[in-house]
Amino acid sequence: MLQYRSTYVFLLLLLPLTGYSAIASAAFPGDREAGERIRKEILAWLDSFESLQCSYMYRFDTSSGGWKEEEVSFRWQDTMVYYEATTLGWGGVTKAEPIGSLMQESFIDGEVTLLGQQGTNITGEVNRGKLRFSQPTRLLQYVLLKEQLGKKGLHTFLSRPGKATLLERNGERILMYWSTDEELKGDTVSLHLNEMNHITQLDFINRPFCLYEEVEKLTVKDIYELCYWYTRLELLDYQQLDSVWLPCYIREININPTKNSIKHAGSLRRSYDLGEMTRCEYDVKRMENLEYKPNPSTAEIHIDPNTVRINKKMKKADFEIEIPPGTALINMGTGETFETERQTWRERHADLIVIVAMLLLLSTMTVFGWRYWSTNSPAR
């Protein structure tokens, strides 16, 4: 997805500062008991996925009107990931690959192999540390995959230290999670739930990185609204497949602050750096005046339920990419460029040679047998 440059500037203003202590438990809003129960329920649902195979349509639309569609085959098990994405169409995107181009990536034992094919042109990379083109798979990674694959998704945030509480806002049930994890620096999630506690909307956000009691004294704004929204996912079309519920439609909506919000945050940061306010005051003032502008950039996947296989044991070979002989590759660990060995004519046609040999042998045996029985038949 294309991002506004101003978004990156604003994110820099959210970089962690110093001075944080654990959030106390008093005076926290909502139903804490129900929130903790639902948090555990959702984690149990995520942990029920041990492997996943599926195919889906992936599309993204940019704020400038560009778009692209791909057909993706996806596999995941433990710390292994494989996908292949075929370009179906695109428009308004510069330097897009030809329709029919194929991209394959494999993540095994912490190492990525990549292979791209445009017609007869095939190139690739080996020994890369993480997926290079994660766009076609990142929505599934945010929701379902575990942290060991390098993405901080839903499982990461709900399994780290924090407070879960169930809120009622405008007729909606919302699981708000207030992170107390030092590493996450206030990054967390809010979940909109249906009557079955299925997640219908997943917000990745940043909250004030200080005591809740301090925050309560500094603002009259609804605590749920006091945050910075990074991105929002809609999870719909839940289907029970292999005894597990799976959202077969996931849509990402980008959220961007206005220029005035960015300017205001920059002014507050300078005041904080000069010691004119505490870290908590800086966080609260920065977040309580945030405004957002419409952003038509979206990404979505439509999973074909007929292709879904959940918790079916796969072999390591199911995640490996078959690299054709004579393919130019780059070793990303060493920077070395090399080419895979080319096969001889006999190696390329080994199967054909075996078949022809078997046919010749069968023909010889047939002729020999016919002559034997012709000359040794009792009737003669």
Side-chain angles (χ1 to χ4, degrees):
M1 296 290 296
L2 300 180
Q3 302 287 337
Y4 291 109
R5 178 174 297 180
S6 61
T7 301
Y8 294 110
V9 174
F10 191 77
L11 289 176
L12 290 175
L13 299 173
L14 295 174
L15 289 175
L17 304 173
T18 59
Y20 177 77
S21 56
I23 296 173
S25 58
F28 203 73
D31 188 336
R32 290 285 309 279
E33 184 177 345
E36 181 61 19
R37 173 177 53 80
I38 295 172
R39 180 189 73 89
K40 291 179 179 179
E41 183 180 322
I42 293 174
L43 277 176
W45 168 63
L46 294 173
D47 288 333
S48 70
F49 286 89
E50 297 178 358
S51 70
L52 174 65
Q53 304 173 61
C54 63
S55 296
Y56 55 86
M57 304 298 293
Y58 169 76
R59 177 185 173 105
F60 72 77
D61 293 85
T62 71
S63 57
S64 60
W67 62 276
K68 181 180 176 183
E69 287 186 347
E70 294 178 306
E71 182 177 19
V72 182
S73 293
F74 176 81
R75 299 173 199 149
W76 159 65
Q77 179 175 284
D78 299 325
T79 58
M80 297 184 293
V81 172
Y82 168 87
Y83 81 85
E84 59 180 58
T86 303
T87 302
L88 300 180
W90 56 271
V93 181
T94 59
K95 297 182 180 180
E97 66 273 13
I99 293 174
S101 297
L102 179 67
M103 179 69 70
Q104 296 172 279
E105 281 197 84
S106 171
F107 184 92
I108 302 174
D109 297 331
E111 182 178 317
V112 169
T113 299
L114 179 149
L115 199 67
Q117 182 172 349
Q118 296 181 9
T120 59
N121 182 30
I122 305 175
T123 58
E125 300 175 357
V126 297
N127 198 25
R128 175 178 284 276
K130 60 183 179 179
L131 295 178
R132 179 174 180 182
F133 299 102
S134 61
Q135 294 284 49
T137 64
R138 63 193 175 87
L139 299 187
L140 283 177
Q141 292 189 58
Y142 285 151
V143 178
L144 297 177
L145 274 60
K146 306 298 190 296
E147 186 178 349
Q148 61 261 37
L149 293 171
K151 290 286 184 182
K152 287 184 172 64
L154 176 59
H155 191 280
T156 303
F157 295 112
L158 292 185
S159 60
R160 298 289 188 89
K163 290 183 178 182
T165 189
L166 185 64
L167 302 175
E168 296 281 348
R169 292 292 186 276
N170 301 318
E172 288 190 283
R173 299 166 64 246
I174 301 171
L175 179 69
M176 185 181 79
Y177 199 62
W178 191 291
S179 174
T180 61
D181 188 273
E182 292 283 345
E183 181 184 345
L184 296 179
K185 304 295 189 288
D187 285 345
T188 184
V189 289
S190 284
L191 317 177
H192 293 238
L193 308 169
N194 65 13
E195 65 281 357
M196 296 180 66
N197 289 336
H198 292 161
I199 303 166
T200 58
Q201 179 178 303
L202 169 57
D203 292 336
F204 289 96
I205 60 179
N206 180 267
R207 291 198 179 279
F209 194 48
C210 53
L211 293 166
Y212 168 73
E213 288 80 4
E214 293 181 61
V215 173
E216 192 177 35
K217 295 175 182 177
L218 293 171
T219 185
V220 296
K221 192 168 184 177
D222 185 341
I223 198 67
Y224 171 71
E225 300 287 340
L226 192 68
C227 62
Y228 168 75
W229 271 271
Y230 288 117
T231 191
R232 171 171 295 160
L233 300 184
E234 296 175 347
L235 282 64
L236 303 172
D237 190 21
Y238 276 85
Q239 299 192 37
Q240 194 170 25
L241 304 166
D242 294 327
S243 301
V244 180
W245 287 101
L246 177 72
C248 290
Y249 175 76
I250 303 175
R251 179 172 181 249
E252 179 188 43
I253 302 171
N254 281 326
I255 303 174
N256 295 110
T258 62
K259 290 183 178 179
N260 285 337
S261 291
I262 296 173
K263 183 178 179 181
H264 179 65
S267 176
L268 291 173
R269 178 58 184 262
R270 287 190 291 273
S271 295
Y272 173 80
D273 290 340
L274 292 173
E276 297 173 355
M277 63 176 67
T278 67
R279 165 60 195 268
C280 197
E281 288 174 325
Y282 165 72
D283 270 354
V284 171
K285 290 182 181 296
R286 174 168 50 89
M287 294 180 184
E288 66 182 357
N289 294 310
L290 279 172
E291 295 179 345
Y292 297 91
K293 56 188 176 184
N295 186 346
S297 298
T298 61
E300 62 183 18
I301 62 174
H302 291 264
I303 298 174
D304 181 356
N306 296 318
T307 66
V308 173
R309 302 290 182 271
I310 299 174
N311 298 338
K312 305 299 182 184
K313 190 69 175 179
M314 289 177 279
K315 303 184 295 292
K316 187 175 182 179
D318 295 323
F319 296 86
E320 295 174 342
I321 297 176
E322 184 177 347
I323 301 177
T327 300
L329 299 173
I330 300 176
N331 185 323
M332 301 306 296
T334 64
E336 174 192 6
T337 301
F338 64 99
E339 186 176 286
T340 55
E341 293 186 7
R342 297 180 181 274
Q343 292 177 310
T344 64
W345 184 93
R346 179 176 295 179
E347 290 171 331
R348 288 197 305 272
H349 299 87
D351 292 341
L352 178 61
I353 293 173
V354 171
I355 293 172
V356 171
M358 292 295 293
L359 289 174
L360 288 174
L361 179 59
L362 181 60
S363 298
T364 301
M365 293 177 64
T366 300
V367 171
F368 175 80
W370 179 80
R371 290 181 176 178
Y372 175 83
W373 289 108
S374 297
T375 57
N376 294 279
S377 173
R380 298 178 65 88

